[in-house]
Amino acid sequence: MKNLKLINLLLILSTSLFLVQCTTDPIPGEDGMDGADGASGTAECAACHNVAKAEEVHASYLFSGHYNETIAVWEDDQPPLSQYANRNSCTGCHTSDGFIDWAEKGAPLSGDRPVYAGTQTISCNTCHGKHTTFDFENDGFDYALRVLRPVTLGADESYTIDYGDERSSHTCTTCHQPRSVFPLPNADGKIVVNSRFGPHYGAQSTLLEGIQGAEVAGSLPYEEPASAAHRRGSSCTSCHMGESTGNVDGLHTKIPTETSCVTCHSNGIPSYDFLAEDIETLKNLLIAEGLLTESGSPVAGIYDLIPASALWNYRMIYYDHSNGLHNPKYARALVKNSIEALNGN
């Protein structure tokens, strides 16, 4: 409780310090006469930088996965509990300091352990730094986010995800992208699978984009990238940071709300389990083929292209954690076509 009060006090103090730096520009008068007072230099800032807004942000953030997950902890010079703090390929997302370096310098630091020491939970400072400009009327609100530019994917530098005016979603995509793409077959036309086979937990952005699945031919078509309704009509922030129903969803909880959904789904929100039966069918087929354990982990080995592709698609849907809702048509095509291919259809 003391920590919570301290955090709230720091938020209020930082808000106050920010506001007193703003000035009011007077309107010049005639010679020898005072001009009229200009508009308050703090009015636009105060729309966001005020105690009520700070408390609302913090209250909702306490319910977020970002707040509640300790992404890397060092204790007594031992490896972090999550084992990520000294791996150059991991620190950009699994440590707060690593993300800041990645966002501002283009890459996290690398070197002898420890690279980023201490508790590395995601905080306000992880995603927010300073405003790009203060000309909000012409440049738009940047919310002091560290990443506003389109994101070129680390696993495929030929592809850039660009949300256009929804620039705030680029901060999300910076981490919520896969670490790898489906591998090329070896000289024998087979795929080498290890126990961590799959795109890793950042599949949200690429599933939404409709890319990087192992697109097995089948009865369902694959739409053009970035053409899905959720991709064209919404974004990470518009769905995950909508109006709250009591600080336990929306806003900085990053938990989607029905209020956000009904903006488009006026006739009713689709079921979260719309693909659950097919996902389970694909899982059982992969278990029967010997590519997947009962717990859902890949079985290391060298496999033919079709079963390995089906395994990748299963793992992509799993790592996305939306049960395919980010891009229902693309997810359904990946799963259904994989089932057909494993059944020899």
Side-chain angles (χ1 to χ4, degrees), residues 163-339:
Y163 290 99
D165 291 339
E166 294 285 345
R167 298 180 299 159
S168 55
S169 294
H170 295 141
T171 296
C172 310
T173 302
T174 303
C175 275
H176 290 271
Q177 59 169 293
R179 287 183 57 197
S180 56
V181 296
F182 186 68
L184 294 173
N186 63 16
D188 297 324
K190 297 181 181 294
I191 301 295
V192 178
V193 171
N194 60 28
S195 60
R196 298 175 64 85
F197 189 72
H200 198 53
Y201 286 97
Q204 293 84 11
S205 63
T206 50
L207 184 63
L208 178 63
E209 194 77 1
I211 60 173
Q212 293 191 2
E215 297 183 1
V216 179
S219 61
L220 296 181
Y222 298 101
E223 296 183 333
E224 288 294 316
S227 65
H230 283 170
R231 175 64 174 85
R232 288 185 291 102
S234 58
S235 66
C236 308
T237 52
S238 62
C239 288
H240 287 267
M241 297 187 69
E243 182 181 349
S244 177
T245 56
N247 288 334
V248 296
D249 53 19
L251 299 177
H252 277 74
T253 70
K254 308 299 193 299
I255 300 171
T257 68
E258 290 191 6
T259 303
S260 295
C261 297
V262 297
T263 301
C264 297
H265 295 281
S266 56
N267 293 325
I269 302 170
S271 169
Y272 177 76
D273 296 325
F274 79 102
L275 199 55
E277 185 176 337
D278 289 326
I279 293 173
E280 188 66 18
T281 297
L282 179 57
K283 177 181 179 180
N284 290 332
L285 286 171
L286 290 167
I287 292 172
E289 292 275 346
L291 277 78
L292 200 66
T293 67
E294 291 286 347
S295 63
S297 298
V299 177
I302 301 176
Y303 301 102
D304 290 335
L305 179 60
I306 291 299
S309 298
L311 175 62
W312 178 275
N313 292 335
Y314 173 80
R315 296 288 285 173
M316 182 173 183
I317 300 302
Y318 166 76
Y319 278 134
D320 166 67
H321 277 13
S322 77
N323 274 9
L325 272 182
H326 281 129
N327 191 335
K329 288 185 178 180
Y330 190 67
R332 191 188 298 275
L334 291 176
V335 172
K336 289 262 192 186
N337 290 348
S338 293
I339 291 172

Side-chain angles (χ1 to χ4, degrees), residues 90-107:
C90 303
T91 53
C93 290
H94 285 278
T95 67
S96 178
D97 293 340
F99 176 82
I100 293 171
D101 280 340
W102 187 11
E104 295 187 350
K105 302 175 184 177

Side-chain angles (χ1 to χ4, degrees), residues 40-53:
S40 172
T42 64
E44 195 164 52
C45 304
C48 294
H49 292 274
N50 59 74
V51 173
K53 178 66 71 173

